Amino acid sequence: MADLEGLKVAKDYHVETPFANQNGFYLKGANSLDWGMKKHMSNIFNPKSGNTVMFAFDHGYFMGSAAGLERLDLLIPQLAPYVDCFMGTRGAIRTCVAPELTKSVALRVTSGSSMLQDDLSHEVVAVDIEDAIRMNADCMAVQTFIGAKGQLSSIDNLSQVINAGMRYSIPTLGVCAVGKEMERTDRFFKLATRIIAEMGCQIVKTYDCENFEEVVAACPVPIVVAGGKKLPEKEALELAYDVIRKGAHGVDMGRNIFQSQYPIEMAKAVNKIVHEGMTAKEAWEFFEDETH
Ligand code: R5P
């Protein structure tokens, strides 16, 4: 196995240089995918902006209704016009997302954790590929714990899902997990996102961090960024603007939308940043106009 001896210290991520191997398709790393994969990727990432607003409401799979998602059935239809993709469990999607909503679906396919446990890093593949096909999932989301006790099993889960996805042309979204004991540094995210991408995921979900543009540059597939813990709305819009400016292809935002007093207006403002190039300041002014 390669060691780190002789590694040059100064790394060059060429952050100003666009991804090179992109002839023929608008999404990073998707050049060689087949028609079915590209179709699913195009359902998720708007071909005009190249970006996506994913609404993450998969928190219930380990938190129940504690996160603030008591009534998905009421929230989802109101948010639908302003998001591109619904990310949730099959239980939440089948019961609360009307099939008439022509939005893409990121189906969470791993499970096994609950907030009652100390170590959340051991999961299983809970949804088989046939059910993902039945649900017309545009991608399958797998929680991936790099550097945690459950790393081996989550790499096994990820590989199983990617292999099944390759058989039926359904992309896999590798969710870079950060447990309590895991660092949130660029060093960690560079390691974890690159491992996840090299396992064969077509999309990686991660968090903002210092030198985020280097994380993006070193990851050969599109990155979407989780919102994380609830922030004041102005800060959440700054986060969204900052990561898009640094090369993310969208956000996968949950709590900063659904825990806001104004979830619909937040989704609208985030959409303006992600698809219309609004700055954080412009989006904040838009949000204020909408809420006053
Ligand atoms: C995390 O495991 C889940 O995938 C969440 O969906 C994700 O963290 C995004 O939600 P939030 O913006 O609330 O962090």
Side-chain angles (χ1 to χ4, degrees):
M1 191 173 244
D3 60 30
L4 295 177
E5 214 172 298
L7 185 73
K8 60 177 181 175
V9 177
K11 298 187 179 60
D12 192 348
Y13 290 91
H14 300 277
V15 292
E16 303 301 334
T17 310
F19 189 71
N21 185 31
Q22 204 164 332
N23 295 336
F25 195 62
Y26 69 102
L27 281 172
K28 190 179 189 182
N31 217 15
S32 305
L33 301 179
D34 78 340
W35 190 92
M37 282 269 186
K38 283 180 175 154
K39 178 70 180 132
H40 284 302
M41 296 291 276
S42 306
N43 289 343
I44 298 169
F45 294 93
N46 180 321
K48 264 197 196 150
S49 65
N51 295 337
T52 188
V53 178
M54 283 189 185
F55 174 56
F57 56 97
D58 56 334
H59 307 64
Y61 96 95
F62 69 106
M63 298 177 81
S65 61
L69 287 167
E70 296 84 4
R71 291 296 301 270
L72 277 170
D73 57 319
L74 302 180
L75 184 61
I76 296 279
Q78 298 182 71
L79 285 179
Y82 313 108
V83 306
D84 303 291
C85 184
F86 287 121
M87 183 203 196
T89 60
R90 61 179 167 185
I93 292 172
R94 275 211 171 91
T95 55
C96 300
V97 179
E100 296 91 327
L101 292 176
T102 53
K103 298 288 171 172
S104 57
V105 163
L107 179 65
R108 173 166 282 283
V109 297
T110 52
S111 185
S113 310
S114 96
M115 62 192 286
L116 304 176
Q117 295 169 284
D118 285 334
D119 179 11
L120 301 176
S121 69
H122 300 273
E123 295 203 335
V124 294
V125 178
V127 179
D128 61 27
I129 187 70
E130 285 77 12
D131 210 28
I133 294 167
R134 274 192 291 271
M135 293 189 73
N136 202 21
D138 290 294
C139 69
M140 299 176 286
V142 176
Q143 199 77 352
T144 311
F145 295 86
I146 302 298
K149 288 186 189 136
Q151 173 170 318
L152 182 60
S153 61
S154 69
I155 291 284
D156 186 34
N157 295 341
L158 188 64
S159 307
Q160 284 181 46
V161 172
I162 292 169
N163 287 332
M166 294 305 290
R167 284 201 294 280
Y168 298 100
S169 291
I170 302 180
T172 300
L173 165 62
V175 177
C176 177
V178 282
K180 283 182 211 146
E181 74 287 359
M182 291 149 86
E183 45 175 325
R184 288 178 176 244
T185 60
D186 61 329
R187 182 171 160 270
F188 170 73
F189 287 120
K190 280 172 189 160
L191 174 78
T193 55
R194 183 61 174 263
I195 290 175
I196 292 170
E198 294 217 15
M199 293 301 299
C201 281
Q202 288 77 22
I203 312 167
V204 172
K205 172 181 163 187
T206 188
Y207 290 84
D208 185 25
C209 63
E210 207 184 336
N211 301 318
F212 178 73
E213 63 280 14
E214 294 182 354
V215 177
V216 171
C219 181
V221 299
I223 282 186
V224 293
V225 176
K229 280 188 188 148
K230 172 80 173 68
L231 301 166
E233 280 79 358
K234 190 164 185 278
E235 287 174 35
L237 295 173
E238 283 163 1
L239 166 81
Y241 175 65
D242 209 42
V243 295
I244 294 294
R245 189 171 63 84
K246 290 177 179 167
H249 280 273
V251 294
D252 186 9
M253 199 173 256
R255 288 163 287 178
N256 278 292
I257 292 178
F258 68 74
Q259 290 181 351
S260 170
Q261 192 186 343
Y262 302 105
I264 316 305
E265 292 75 8
M266 263 310 274
K268 282 188 191 177
V270 169
N271 191 302
K272 297 270 178 201
I273 292 171
V274 170
H275 291 308
E276 295 180 26
M278 265 196 185
T279 62
K281 185 171 175 289
E282 288 166 341
W284 171 245
E285 285 165 4
F286 170 84
F287 176 83
E288 285 206 302
D289 281 349
E290 292 278 307
T291 52
H292 288 95

